[in-house]
Amino acid sequence: MNSSNKPNTHSRCQGPQNPLANGAFAGGLGRRSFMRFGLAGFANLSLPGMLKLRAASSAPRQERKKSVIMVWQPGGCSHIDTYDPKPQASSEYRGPFSTISTAVPGVQFTELLPRQAKLANKFSVLRSMRQSAAGHPAGSMQLLSGDPDTRDKPQPKYPDWMSVGNYCRSMQGPRTSPLPSFVGVNPPTTYNGPAYLGDAYGPFIVTGDPNAPQFTVPNIGLKTEEDSRRLGRRVSLRENIDNLQRAFDVKGELESLDQFETQAMTLLTSPEAKAAFDLNQEDDRTRDRYGRNTWGQQLLLARRLVEAGVDIVTTSLRGPLCGRVNNWDDHAVNHHVFDALRFRADVYDQAVSALVEDIHERGLEEQLLVVVTGEFGRTPKINYQPSTGAGNASAAAGTVQPGRDHWPRAFSNLWFGGGIEPGQVIGATDKRGEDSIERICGPDDFLATLYHHLGIDYENVTIEDFSGRPTPIVNHGHAIPELI
């Protein structure tokens, strides 16, 4: 991102001047570690302070703001085998799956997505997304932050759109919800982050399997009256921070600590926050509809959080439900690509379909925008390589099996809610699915569309980087007209 490409009239979402580059506190205390350790040792507001926070948490809600859920497919989903089939292509391209009609006349998906096919008039498919980076790190950074660099880097240079959205929302005034603005439910945790915004604008992270009977979110709600009394008897937070001040030598970190501490206390003392994370409050029929598995319950929890007041939720469809290597990176060395797609298809199809139906049934289709995407697609031409190991969706080591590799030149993503017109197929790829050829959209268009929905002036907002240079949050893109 180069600020010279923009006029000098941008409004500023001014960030902290010198947050730590690696997103960790001095002394190696990271944000999640702080949240765990801090609630046990640092969450020591006096009783009056605690009561003040609780009073603030119960303040009347303002009019509901727009919100976004991003469902991330780490590794990249094969567009040809899902939303952009090529039944007329030769066998070395089209794959083994037959096509099925959808609820939109003339539009076909593959047989892997029967539930979504029946609901295709309730969402839109963008078939012509592309970017220029072939590696997972650079590809993810392009799509999530607009970084045009095609080289893979270990850490993001620019903050991802979720952190930017969280930051800009925080500039609009104090929150009336006791919940964080940005929550990650098993979120993407590599190749993205708040970068120069600082850890205060990263997500509140929820990990674990929401389908597990014993699943709980740590640090949400005080369990007993004794917990409340014990918390009230502790010395004030400010006294502890004074004692710890020597451990911090970077300007801006104490401000972040204050924000973490306030958020931690609010989560501890708010019944509303505790209820939002409690999937047991959903009826069994709803939980069954999403699927009694990790992915289904992740998407259900994401919907609950948005209804409770969270602005941005990210969740990543990874882990054992993907197959042997726990992601969508269906190289032949990792997975038998077609076995892997079959292996995960039913769970994926059910969970996404349930979310589509649910937001319409619950009247969220104007407020909530959902996007389902990975960082790129998979090679249209099938290749064959020896497997590196046996497991779900992979033959024994040494067995030659089919795969598809990274493909940034064309891929699909799914959009629904957000007040957008459903039932659209936007853009097109060529006859073999190799290149986007109609209504081509890139990462900056992707980002601009999300910012537009969140009410962020992406054409004019800049944020100061580590050097104090105002940096645009979008360089050359525009919100995709069909998706706003």
Side-chain angles (χ1 to χ4, degrees):
M1 293 187 178
N2 187 341
S3 60
S4 64
N5 293 326
K6 292 279 188 175
N8 294 322
T9 57
H10 298 303
S11 60
R12 292 188 181 183
C13 284
Q14 174 123 10
Q17 299 299 306
N18 294 297
L20 289 178
N22 64 1
F25 290 112
L29 183 60
R31 180 178 189 274
R32 280 188 289 174
S33 297
F34 175 83
M35 290 295 287
R36 290 193 297 267
F37 180 60
L39 289 171
F42 296 158
N44 300 324
L45 286 174
S46 63
L47 183 57
M50 183 180 73
L51 295 175
K52 181 179 178 182
L53 276 174
R54 293 200 62 170
S57 297
S58 62
R61 278 181 188 271
Q62 297 175 349
E63 183 179 349
R64 181 67 57 85
K65 292 180 178 179
K66 297 294 181 71
S67 52
V68 175
I69 294 173
M70 183 181 73
V71 181
W72 186 247
Q73 300 161 307
C77 175
S78 169
H79 52 296
I80 288 177
D81 297 305
T82 52
Y83 300 106
D84 192 11
K86 302 295 179 182
Q88 304 307 314
S90 62
S91 59
E92 60 184 336
Y93 287 87
R94 70 172 178 262
F97 304 120
S98 62
T99 57
I100 56 176
S101 297
T102 72
V104 178
V107 176
Q108 294 186 318
F109 296 162
T110 73
E111 62 183 291
L112 297 178
L113 304 171
R115 294 181 182 88
Q116 291 181 45
K118 292 178 181 178
L119 296 172
N121 59 346
K122 294 185 180 295
F123 57 78
S124 293
V125 177
L126 176 61
R127 284 179 169 171
S128 55
M129 181 62 71
R130 77 177 180 191
Q131 44 100 341
S132 59
H136 296 297
S140 299
M141 291 175 199
Q142 279 207 14
L143 199 66
L144 296 178
S145 70
D147 186 346
D149 197 347
T150 59
R151 299 169 298 175
D152 288 338
K153 299 188 287 289
Q155 298 289 338
K157 181 178 180 181
Y158 302 105
D160 57 42
W161 71 265
M162 303 87 78
S163 300
V164 171
N166 186 15
Y167 175 70
C168 288
R169 279 285 175 90
S170 75
M171 297 297 103
Q172 297 173 2
R175 286 178 58 74
T176 58
S177 170
L179 289 158
S181 175
F182 173 21
V183 176
V185 181
N186 292 325
T189 54
T190 54
Y191 321 134
N192 63 288
Y196 47 74
L197 280 176
D199 252 6
Y201 300 101
F204 176 83
I205 295 178
V206 176
T207 59
D209 181 2
N211 188 53
Q214 70 276 18
F215 174 75
T216 59
V217 180
N219 306 325
I220 302 294
L222 294 170
K223 294 179 173 56
T224 67
E225 285 298 319
E226 178 56 29
D227 289 338
S228 300
R229 288 192 292 271
R230 186 181 299 115
L231 186 62
R233 289 194 298 264
R234 291 175 181 172
V235 297
S236 72
L237 170 65
R238 181 53 58 194
E239 289 173 345
N240 279 324
I241 289 179
D242 288 343
N243 292 334
L244 288 168
Q245 196 162 5
R246 291 187 302 273
F248 297 90
D249 58 1
V250 181
K251 185 179 178 182
E253 286 305 304
L254 288 177
E255 179 184 353
S256 296
L257 183 58
D258 284 339
Q259 293 185 50
F260 296 158
E261 200 58 57
T262 300
Q263 181 184 96
M265 284 301 303
T266 304
L267 289 171
L268 270 175
T269 59
S270 168
E272 183 181 357
K274 183 179 179 181
F277 287 93
D278 185 3
L279 284 173
N280 290 318
Q281 297 199 16
E282 293 287 338
D283 63 64
D284 287 341
R285 196 167 116 188
T286 299
R287 296 193 69 176
D288 291 344
R289 187 168 71 170
Y290 276 83
R292 294 286 188 148
N293 54 68
T294 305
W295 292 359
Q297 300 306 296
Q298 281 180 197
L299 297 197
L300 176 55
L301 180 54
R303 188 268 288 162
R304 283 186 61 82
L305 292 172
V306 165
E307 281 193 309
V310 175
D311 296 335
I312 298 165
V313 181
T314 58
T315 188
S316 183
L317 303 185
R318 63 177 188 266
L321 290 173
C322 270
R324 180 174 72 97
V325 299
N326 294 330
N327 57 44
W328 298 66
D329 195 24
D330 293 331
H331 302 284
V333 296
N334 290 339
H335 289 145
H336 182 302
V337 57
F338 306 120
D339 286 352
L341 287 163
R342 286 189 189 96
F343 180 80
R344 66 180 73 110
D346 186 61
V347 172
Y348 169 72
D349 190 35
Q350 180 178 0
V352 172
S353 296
L355 184 58
V356 172
E357 291 178 321
D358 218 10
I359 70 168
H360 284 274
E361 291 176 7
R362 302 178 77 88
L364 298 172
E365 68 273 14
E366 295 292 326
Q367 173 218 337
L368 170 61
L369 176 66
V370 181
V371 59
V372 183
T373 189
E375 63 266 41
F376 39 51
R378 312 300 302 184
T379 49
K381 188 173 183 179
I382 304 163
N383 66 72
Y384 295 83
Q385 297 291 332
S387 166
T388 56
N392 286 328
S394 181
T399 305
V400 175
Q401 60 187 11
R404 296 192 191 269
D405 298 328
H406 304 175
W407 196 254
R409 284 160 46 184
F411 60 106
S412 299
N413 38 50
L414 202 67
W415 301 76
F416 52 97
I420 65 176
E421 180 183 347
Q424 301 179 88
V425 173
I426 304 161
T429 58
D430 63 25
K431 63 183 181 181
R432 295 194 298 201
E434 292 180 314
D435 286 289
S436 299
I437 57 173
E438 289 180 15
R439 196 66 188 83
I440 299 168
C441 299
D444 280 332
D445 304 311
F446 177 86
L447 297 173
T449 303
L450 294 167
Y451 289 140
H452 175 88
H453 178 75
L454 289 170
I456 296 169
D457 183 7
Y458 66 86
E459 293 183 314
N460 294 305
V461 166
T462 63
I463 299 174
E464 290 187 359
D465 63 14
F466 288 123
S467 66
R469 181 182 65 176
T471 304
I473 61 172
V474 171
N475 252 325
H476 306 292
H478 299 282
I480 300 166
E482 298 90 336
L483 296 176
I484 62 175

